[in-house]
Amino acid sequence: MKKFTTLYAGVLALGVSATAVLADGATPAPLPEAPKFDAQGQVNFVGINDILEYKALPEYKEPEFVTEYVKAGKLPPVNDRLPKEPMVYKSGNMKDGVGVYGDVMRHVIGGRPEGWNYWAGQIQGWGGIDIGLQECLTRTGPLFQVKADELAPLPNVAKSWEWSEDGKQLTMHLIEGAKWSDGDAFDADDIMYHWEFNVLDPEVNPLGNETQETFGKGSKLEKVDAYTVRWTFENAFPTQVLYSMAYPTFCPGPSHILAPQHPKNSKNTYEQYKQAFGPSYMGMPTLGAWVPVEHRPDDIVVLRRNPYFWKVDESGQQLPYLNEMHYRLSTWADRDVQAVAGTGDFSNLEQAENYVESLKKAADPASPARLEFGQRTIAYSLHFNLSGNGWGKPDERGQAVRELNRNIHFRKGVTSMLDRQRLGDSLVKGPFAAIYPGGIHPGMSFFDAGSTVYYPYSVEAAKAEFALAGLADTDGDGVLNYPNSGKNVEITMLVNADYQSDKSLAEGVVAMGEAVGLRVIPNIVAGNDREAARKAGNFDWHVWRNASEFVTAVQNTERLAPTGPSTSDWHKAPEGGEVDLLDFEKEMVDVVNKFIATKDNAERKTLMAQYQKLHTENVYTAGLTAYPGALIVNKRFANVAPGAPIFMFNWAEDNIIRERVYVPADKQQNFELYPGKLPDVPGGKGVM
Ligand code: GLA
Ligand code: CA
């Protein structure tokens, strides 16, 4: 009887306390409506065939100084440098029409080049350097201007493709007779080299992070002939995969230069392969419009026009129009300052701390720069490292955090402790920031408010959820302790030092954690080290500026969930192991795979709504804030694609289609550092 009473009392007590705690736990609330903010740029929606085509033109032209190289016997004639059927940009889609040669686009960037081996994972400094060098099978940046009912990746290095009847094979036709910037032929061997020696080799981690799963589990690629490759998939008609063939995930490299350095063909280690083309190596062959010709550390990277570039305008002029590209090696904040002042030409205004000052300056009619706000495509999330089985080799402390991260009550506690209004206001006051619970960005085409589970800011709810996760401040020092070890919970949060917004948001998270007894220690490191740490899984939490999957849902879709061993940025498999998926992650993987497998738009909407519910209800990530960015371009440039967002399918450096941007003759400036020069041979002295 006594025993029963005790047991009964215990159950009763548990029942009561559990109810009490649950009542105070995280309870979803309707998502507050975002402040009204209209995008300023007017997009001129078109079909894909309105933008470009591939065809031979009766004659081709080049800048006069390039003809001098031809006359001197240093370069073949332009007709021989171009492919049989170059890509032709249609004048009707060029805001200011056919352009003229000359001038420079002066970029300012906060990144630093590690080297030119993009395919083995080297960072080139971001800010559009690699986007201007690499050309990929397909292209998605300019899709912001493609009509919804025609939305599909643009052809690029792959000029056309067709599906087999059963939909399991995709045959791609490459541009024929195009050449790398050093004159070497581009063909299917370059595609196959990237696939076999970089993508499929588990020791090589390309900058775009592509693995076999990026193109679908079990996907295969083979060469048919010099200009034809064929993909084989497990599913029928996975047309979605065409997005994965765009930047950054299938941009082939010059196999004639890379292959001899690969560990399978040389005595090199994988690290030596990666480092084989360091930052001082000039003339790395590209398919892009420009080629690196100078690097002065912490000062500048200069690119000159690629005389073999394979795109032309309708009058037959070989592109690009701009002879040179500058990348001043400074800070991202300085990019905004210089673009507004006119000493730089371009910026993605994305650090909200700089909005007020930049807006004020750009409002002056005499301002040298045009500033145009877009939609809310910039957002930040807090990522929980969800691997419980060893990815990133955590120590005992780290492993304990991983287990907390895998606990739904803990994640609900974290999302509830975040005062998102205050986080947004800490960056900039005004109608910019929206409450962003996580997942698909508010206002984007696949966003469904009704399927978004929003746990509002509540200190009480956060504390209650942490209690349910078993945490209590047992030693009374104000910091929550683990139930078993009795140690204080300490979480390290990876933060990019290169951006003020990342640091401001991290500061907010630390303060908000403190208010509920959670000790969060920021690990603020420079961009390149941050990238290495996150790729290796060396973090508990990570403050992250979202990639395009959460804006478009169709770009990088496979990354919305751990669909493969390394597709998710915060839940990868340990070496040789598997991803230890949580139950809701299994459901997300299933939904994402279904989304990838279907072309039916209504079904896709439903699936993405299911995904959003799973993501937000289970706090797969904790959204921090979402806000619009503004594109700043110097007013002397013509043909900047109207309404180009700073970020959507890709960054604005891709979206504005720089190879057809020009400066009218009467506005040209003498900014060229190497007028009249062309890139030298690979590994040579820069210009010749
Ligand atoms: C950095 C910048 C972005 C954009 C990209 C391009 O991430 O912050 O604005 O320029 O580089 O890769
Ligand atoms: Ca304590």
Side-chain angles (χ1 to χ4, degrees):
M1 191 63 201
K2 187 158 187 269
K3 206 171 175 198
F4 172 76
T5 318
T6 319
L7 189 67
Y8 182 72
V11 167
L12 196 69
L14 189 75
V16 168
S17 74
T19 323
V21 168
L22 278 181
D24 295 332
T27 320
L31 185 65
E33 226 174 284
K36 202 172 148 49
F37 190 91
D38 290 328
Q40 295 166 334
Q42 278 298 317
V43 180
N44 186 8
F45 287 97
V46 296
I48 289 175
N49 295 330
D50 298 325
I51 302 176
L52 56 85
E53 65 189 316
Y54 294 79
K55 70 171 184 192
L57 295 178
E59 65 164 335
Y60 298 109
K61 298 169 214 160
E62 64 196 349
E64 267 168 47
F65 85 87
V66 177
T67 311
E68 294 305 317
Y69 278 80
V70 177
K71 281 189 191 151
K74 290 185 189 159
L75 200 66
V78 65
N79 288 36
D80 300 343
R81 302 198 309 268
L82 285 166
K84 219 164 75 183
E85 294 182 326
M87 178 191 283
V88 184
Y89 281 116
K90 296 195 174 171
S91 308
N93 181 248
M94 287 157 57
K95 186 167 141 270
D96 306 294
V98 161
V100 295
Y101 292 119
D103 213 332
V104 181
M105 188 174 274
R106 298 164 304 158
H107 298 265
V108 175
I109 61 175
R112 294 293 181 275
E114 294 175 332
W116 307 101
N117 200 344
Y118 175 90
W119 307 274
Q122 283 192 314
I123 290 170
Q124 259 109 83
W126 309 115
I129 298 197
D130 59 352
I131 294 173
L133 301 178
Q134 266 60 256
E135 292 283 346
C136 317
L137 283 171
T138 62
R139 186 173 187 180
T140 55
L143 292 188
F144 72 91
Q145 57 166 316
V146 171
K147 293 181 215 157
D149 57 344
E150 276 194 39
L151 194 65
L154 299 172
N156 200 44
V157 162
K159 64 173 183 178
S160 64
W161 48 80
E162 68 263 343
W163 293 89
S164 62
E165 224 165 284
D166 69 357
K168 297 201 168 172
Q169 290 200 316
L170 172 68
T171 305
M172 293 191 124
H173 306 283
L174 308 174
I175 36 162
E176 261 181 62
K179 298 187 171 63
W180 292 94
S181 57
D182 63 346
D184 196 86
F186 163 76
D187 55 29
D189 291 338
D190 295 306
I191 304 290
M192 294 316 298
Y193 174 78
H194 185 53
W195 177 251
E196 282 165 14
F197 288 80
N198 298 324
V199 181
L200 293 188
D201 188 329
E203 303 287 328
V204 181
N205 187 7
L207 197 65
N209 286 313
E210 60 269 36
T211 62
Q212 188 181 30
E213 288 76 28
T214 308
F215 309 93
K217 195 172 136 274
S219 55
K220 294 196 184 76
L221 183 62
E222 62 191 317
K223 171 179 168 177
V224 176
D225 61 40
Y227 299 111
T228 317
V229 292
R230 182 175 298 139
W231 294 89
T232 305
F233 306 108
E234 288 185 353
N235 293 324
F237 297 108
T239 51
Q240 176 66 38
V241 78
L242 292 164
Y243 287 89
S244 306
M245 296 175 191
Y247 177 91
T249 37
F250 207 116
C251 317
S255 60
H256 62 294
I257 300 278
L258 295 172
Q261 301 294 332
H262 195 282
K264 288 186 177 146
N265 303 325
S266 72
K267 292 206 174 95
N268 279 345
T269 62
Y270 279 95
E271 192 53 26
Q272 284 167 331
Y273 171 53
K274 181 174 174 181
Q275 307 291 345
F277 310 93
S280 60
Y281 183 96
M282 290 296 110
M284 188 71 179
T286 75
L287 286 177
W290 301 275
V291 184
V293 298
E294 185 175 29
H295 170 229
R296 290 184 226 144
D298 287 325
D299 181 0
I300 196 170
V301 170
V302 183
L303 315 183
R304 285 291 291 175
R305 63 179 305 118
N306 168 4
Y308 289 90
F309 193 52
W310 44 282
K311 304 182 184 181
V312 302
D313 67 20
E314 279 190 327
S315 81
Q317 291 188 98
Q318 185 183 33
L319 296 175
Y321 294 124
L322 300 173
N323 285 332
E324 204 169 287
M325 285 296 208
H326 291 176
Y327 293 89
R328 274 281 162 210
L329 305 177
S330 179
T331 64
W332 296 111
D334 190 37
R335 176 171 72 168
D336 299 338
V337 172
Q338 293 219 38
V340 172
T343 53
D345 290 324
F346 176 100
S347 188
N348 296 324
L349 184 64
E350 61 194 357
Q351 294 184 82
E353 293 92 335
N354 299 346
Y355 284 11
V356 176
E357 191 58 23
S358 307
L359 276 168
K360 217 166 65 196
K361 294 223 165 97
D364 179 349
S367 158
R370 197 183 301 116
L371 185 156
E372 215 173 70
F373 269 97
Q375 295 166 273
R376 286 195 179 88
T377 60
I378 304 294
Y380 280 86
S381 301
L382 193 62
H383 288 175
F384 306 98
N385 190 329
L386 291 175
S387 167
N389 65 351
W391 174 49
K393 307 193 177 82
D395 57 12
E396 208 184 305
R397 184 208 58 80
Q399 183 61 25
V401 176
R402 302 289 184 89
E403 271 144 34
L404 279 183
N405 284 345
R406 291 170 65 84
N407 183 320
I408 177 66
H409 290 299
F410 181 71
R411 296 194 306 278
K412 276 190 184 175
V414 174
T415 207
S416 305
M417 82 185 196
L418 298 172
D419 181 348
R420 293 180 167 89
Q421 187 63 45
R422 215 170 95 210
L423 284 176
D425 285 349
S426 77
L427 303 185
V428 62
K429 295 213 167 61
F432 300 103
I435 300 284
Y436 169 54
I440 307 294
H441 289 204
M444 295 299 113
S445 70
F446 278 101
F447 176 74
D448 179 29
S451 313
T452 303
V453 179
Y454 167 54
Y455 299 110
Y457 168 56
S458 161
V459 168
E460 294 70 41
K463 286 184 172 164
E465 292 292 351
F466 290 146
L468 284 170
L471 305 179
D473 179 15
T474 43
D475 55 5
D477 67 350
V479 179
L480 293 168
N481 297 67
Y482 286 104
N484 298 331
S485 70
K487 286 187 182 152
N488 274 344
V489 175
E490 281 183 357
I491 292 156
T492 61
M493 180 169 67
L494 186 60
V495 183
N496 191 339
D498 296 358
Y499 296 89
Q500 187 51 47
S501 302
D502 295 51
K503 291 188 280 189
S504 307
L505 290 168
E507 221 173 85
V509 172
V510 170
M512 289 164 196
E514 211 172 283
V516 293
L518 208 58
R519 178 175 286 165
V520 184
I521 303 158
N523 175 26
I524 308 175
V525 295
N528 291 355
D529 298 333
R530 186 286 291 251
E531 191 67 7
R534 79 166 185 95
K535 280 192 174 170
N538 293 329
F539 61 93
D540 299 338
W541 290 4
H542 182 197
V543 173
W544 166 265
R545 189 179 64 194
N546 285 354
S548 50
E549 54 270 29
F550 294 117
V551 182
T552 67
V554 296
Q555 183 73 42
N556 303 337
T557 306
E558 72 284 349
R559 297 193 192 180
L560 285 171
T563 52
S566 61
T567 50
S568 161
D569 280 313
W570 52 102
H571 195 179
K572 294 196 208 286
E575 230 175 274
E578 285 184 8
V579 192
D580 50 352
L581 294 174
L582 294 163
D583 286 341
F584 81 93
E585 288 183 298
K586 287 184 195 147
E587 288 181 66
M588 286 198 317
V589 167
D590 192 48
V591 169
V592 169
N593 284 336
K594 280 189 185 141
F595 180 94
I596 290 171
T598 179
K599 284 191 292 184
D600 184 311
N601 260 330
E603 198 184 335
R604 289 188 139 207
K605 277 247 162 209
T606 314
L607 286 164
M608 214 28 81
Q610 281 173 24
Y611 169 82
Q612 178 73 350
K613 178 133 194 286
L614 285 164
H615 183 131
T616 52
E617 187 163 49
N618 294 289
V619 199
Y620 181 48
T621 62
L624 296 174
T625 187
Y627 54 82
L631 180 61
I632 312 179
V633 184
N634 192 283
K635 287 177 184 163
R636 75 181 190 287
F637 291 93
N639 270 353
V640 175
I646 72 159
F647 186 60
M648 195 170 268
F649 296 90
N650 196 359
W651 290 99
E653 291 91 333
D654 188 16
N655 306 349
I656 67 170
I657 317 185
R658 286 178 298 179
E659 63 267 37
R660 41 170 234 195
V661 165
Y662 72 96
V663 180
D666 59 337
K667 291 189 182 147
Q668 291 203 359
Q669 306 282 323
N670 293 323
F671 292 139
E672 288 183 57
L673 289 173
Y674 294 101
K677 298 286 186 193
L678 284 176
D680 193 10
V681 294
K685 56 188 192 339
V687 291
M688 61 168 176

